[in-house]
Amino acid sequence: MSSEPHTIRRADAADVPAVKAVTDAAYQPCIARIGVVPQPMEADHAANVAAGRVHVTGNPEVIGLVVVEARQDHLFLDSIAVHPDAHGQGVGRALLAFVDEHARASGLPEVRLCTNASMVENRRLYPRYGYEVVERRTDGPYDRIHYRKRLTRI
Protein backbone atom coordinates (compact mmCIF):
# COMPACT_ATOMS: atom_id res chain seq x y z
CA MET A 1 0.00 0.00 0.00
CA SER A 2 1.19 3.51 -0.73
CA SER A 3 1.82 6.30 1.75
CA GLU A 4 -1.65 7.72 1.02
CA PRO A 5 -3.93 8.13 4.03
CA HIS A 6 -6.00 5.10 4.90
CA THR A 7 -9.60 5.65 3.88
CA ILE A 8 -12.01 4.00 6.28
CA ARG A 9 -15.60 3.25 5.35
CA ARG A 10 -18.54 1.34 6.74
CA ALA A 11 -18.46 -2.26 5.53
CA ASP A 12 -21.25 -3.60 3.36
CA ALA A 13 -22.52 -7.11 2.67
CA ALA A 14 -19.98 -7.65 -0.13
CA ASP A 15 -17.19 -7.14 2.43
CA VAL A 16 -18.25 -9.98 4.76
CA PRO A 17 -15.87 -12.61 3.27
CA ALA A 18 -12.95 -10.15 3.50
CA VAL A 19 -13.90 -9.19 7.07
CA LYS A 20 -13.79 -12.86 8.02
CA ALA A 21 -10.51 -13.46 6.16
CA VAL A 22 -8.72 -10.46 7.70
CA THR A 23 -10.05 -11.27 11.18
CA ASP A 24 -8.94 -14.90 10.89
CA ALA A 25 -5.50 -13.94 9.56
CA ALA A 26 -4.99 -11.37 12.31
CA TYR A 27 -6.16 -13.55 15.20
CA GLN A 28 -4.94 -17.01 14.10
CA PRO A 29 -1.52 -16.58 15.76
CA CYS A 30 -3.27 -15.86 19.09
CA ILE A 31 -4.81 -19.33 19.38
CA ALA A 32 -1.62 -21.04 20.53
CA ARG A 33 -0.82 -18.29 22.98
CA ILE A 34 -4.21 -18.00 24.69
CA GLY A 35 -5.23 -21.62 24.31
CA VAL A 36 -8.66 -20.97 22.77
CA VAL A 37 -10.07 -19.46 19.61
CA PRO A 38 -10.32 -15.68 20.09
CA GLN A 39 -13.90 -14.42 20.14
CA PRO A 40 -13.49 -12.16 17.08
CA MET A 41 -12.87 -15.27 14.96
CA GLU A 42 -16.22 -16.69 16.07
CA ALA A 43 -18.21 -13.48 15.60
CA ASP A 44 -21.22 -13.29 13.31
CA HIS A 45 -19.52 -11.05 10.75
CA ALA A 46 -22.59 -10.75 8.53
CA ALA A 47 -24.73 -9.58 11.47
CA ASN A 48 -22.07 -7.10 12.59
CA VAL A 49 -21.79 -5.69 9.06
CA ALA A 50 -25.58 -5.49 8.69
CA ALA A 51 -25.80 -3.63 12.02
CA GLY A 52 -23.26 -1.04 10.80
CA ARG A 53 -20.66 -1.98 13.42
CA VAL A 54 -17.84 -2.86 11.00
CA HIS A 55 -15.59 -0.31 9.32
CA VAL A 56 -12.89 -1.35 6.85
CA THR A 57 -9.86 0.05 5.11
CA GLY A 58 -7.99 -1.05 2.01
CA ASN A 59 -8.45 -0.56 -1.69
CA PRO A 60 -9.21 -2.69 -3.54
CA GLU A 61 -8.73 -5.40 -0.91
CA VAL A 62 -9.68 -5.01 2.75
CA ILE A 63 -6.51 -4.99 4.86
CA GLY A 64 -7.87 -3.80 8.19
CA LEU A 65 -11.06 -3.32 10.14
CA VAL A 66 -12.66 -2.33 13.40
CA VAL A 67 -15.85 -3.59 14.97
CA VAL A 68 -17.41 -0.98 17.25
CA GLU A 69 -20.61 -0.69 19.20
CA ALA A 70 -22.07 2.53 20.59
CA ARG A 71 -23.20 2.07 24.16
CA GLN A 72 -24.91 4.52 26.48
CA ASP A 73 -21.75 6.17 27.82
CA HIS A 74 -18.93 4.93 25.58
CA LEU A 75 -17.93 3.40 22.27
CA PHE A 76 -16.87 -0.22 22.69
CA LEU A 77 -14.05 -1.31 20.39
CA ASP A 78 -14.98 -4.96 20.07
CA SER A 79 -12.26 -5.90 17.60
CA ILE A 80 -9.45 -4.40 15.59
CA ALA A 81 -7.74 -6.51 12.95
CA VAL A 82 -4.97 -5.79 10.47
CA HIS A 83 -3.91 -8.40 7.95
CA PRO A 84 -0.35 -9.54 8.76
CA ASP A 85 0.78 -8.57 5.24
CA ALA A 86 -0.18 -4.94 6.05
CA HIS A 87 1.67 -4.65 9.38
CA GLY A 88 3.93 -1.63 9.66
CA GLN A 89 1.92 0.48 7.20
CA GLY A 90 0.04 2.61 9.72
CA VAL A 91 -3.22 0.73 9.29
CA GLY A 92 -3.74 0.06 13.00
CA ARG A 93 -2.88 3.65 13.90
CA ALA A 94 -5.40 4.94 11.33
CA LEU A 95 -8.08 2.59 12.62
CA LEU A 96 -7.52 3.67 16.23
CA ALA A 97 -7.74 7.34 15.19
CA PHE A 98 -10.97 6.56 13.34
CA VAL A 99 -12.42 4.94 16.46
CA ASP A 100 -11.69 8.10 18.47
CA GLU A 101 -13.33 10.31 15.85
CA HIS A 102 -16.31 7.96 15.54
CA ALA A 103 -16.85 8.15 19.30
CA ARG A 104 -16.60 11.95 19.29
CA ALA A 105 -19.01 12.21 16.35
CA SER A 106 -21.43 10.01 18.28
CA GLY A 107 -21.16 12.29 21.32
CA LEU A 108 -19.50 9.59 23.42
CA PRO A 109 -16.81 10.68 25.91
CA GLU A 110 -14.67 7.54 25.90
CA VAL A 111 -13.65 4.38 24.09
CA ARG A 112 -13.40 1.05 25.89
CA LEU A 113 -11.83 -2.22 24.82
CA CYS A 114 -10.33 -5.37 26.21
CA THR A 115 -7.48 -7.63 25.20
CA ASN A 116 -6.29 -11.00 26.35
CA ALA A 117 -3.70 -10.74 29.10
CA SER A 118 -1.40 -13.01 27.07
CA MET A 119 -1.23 -10.45 24.28
CA VAL A 120 1.69 -8.54 25.73
CA GLU A 121 2.22 -6.50 22.56
CA ASN A 122 -1.32 -5.12 22.91
CA ARG A 123 -0.69 -4.36 26.55
CA ARG A 124 2.29 -2.22 25.47
CA LEU A 125 0.46 -0.67 22.52
CA TYR A 126 -2.79 0.61 23.98
CA PRO A 127 -1.23 2.86 26.65
CA ARG A 128 0.84 4.53 23.89
CA TYR A 129 -2.49 5.58 22.34
CA GLY A 130 -3.92 7.00 25.54
CA TYR A 131 -5.67 3.94 26.97
CA GLU A 132 -5.52 3.21 30.68
CA VAL A 133 -6.11 -0.11 32.40
CA VAL A 134 -9.45 -0.27 34.20
CA GLU A 135 -9.41 -3.86 35.43
CA ARG A 136 -8.32 -7.41 34.78
CA ARG A 137 -11.15 -9.92 34.71
CA THR A 138 -11.68 -13.53 33.71
CA ASP A 139 -14.59 -14.02 31.31
CA GLY A 140 -15.04 -17.76 30.79
CA PRO A 141 -11.79 -19.05 29.27
CA TYR A 142 -10.49 -15.52 28.59
CA ASP A 143 -8.15 -13.63 30.94
CA ARG A 144 -8.82 -10.04 29.87
CA ILE A 145 -7.38 -6.64 30.54
CA HIS A 146 -10.03 -3.92 30.17
CA TYR A 147 -9.00 -0.44 29.00
CA ARG A 148 -10.60 2.94 28.50
CA LYS A 149 -9.57 6.12 26.76
CA ARG A 150 -11.24 9.36 27.78
CA LEU A 151 -11.61 11.63 24.82
CA THR A 152 -11.16 15.36 24.67
CA ARG A 153 -13.49 17.43 22.55
CA ILE A 154 -11.99 18.93 19.43
Side-chain angles (χ1 to χ4, degrees):
M1 179 168 243
S2 71
S3 61
E4 295 177 23
H6 297 283
T7 302
I8 299 168
R9 64 175 172 80
R10 182 173 281 171
D12 60 37
D15 294 313
V16 171
V19 167
K20 178 174 178 21
V22 170
T23 300
D24 288 352
Y27 284 93
Q28 181 70 35
C30 303
I31 295 172
R33 191 178 317 175
I34 66 175
V36 294
V37 174
Q39 280 187 326
M41 292 178 74
E42 296 181 327
D44 185 338
H45 303 296
N48 282 335
V49 167
R53 291 190 290 260
V54 182
H55 301 267
V56 298
T57 189
N59 188 15
E61 294 181 18
V62 173
I63 59 170
L65 63 103
V66 290
V67 181
V68 294
E69 182 179 344
R71 300 204 175 149
Q72 183 176 352
D73 61 349
H74 68 279
L75 185 69
F76 182 67
L77 173 52
D78 189 40
S79 176
I80 182 168
V82 176
H83 194 282
D85 292 345
H87 285 182
Q89 298 177 17
V91 177
R93 181 173 42 254
L95 289 167
L96 286 172
F98 169 82
V99 169
D100 290 356
E101 291 309 311
H102 187 66
R104 284 187 186 98
S106 301
L108 298 169
E110 68 182 43
V111 177
R112 296 182 192 170
L113 62 84
C114 63
T115 191
N116 193 282
S118 298
M119 305 309 296
V120 294
E121 60 276 12
N122 291 349
R123 293 172 64 183
R124 285 190 300 265
L125 174 85
Y126 291 127
R128 290 198 322 245
Y129 287 92
Y131 288 87
E132 61 183 348
V133 173
V134 175
E135 68 178 322
R136 183 171 181 166
R137 183 172 69 222
T138 301
D139 297 316
Y142 304 101
D143 180 10
R144 294 185 170 144
I145 308 290
H146 293 257
Y147 293 86
R148 76 171 168 209
K149 178 179 185 179
R150 295 183 185 186
L151 302 172
T152 56
R153 299 262 180 221
I154 295 179

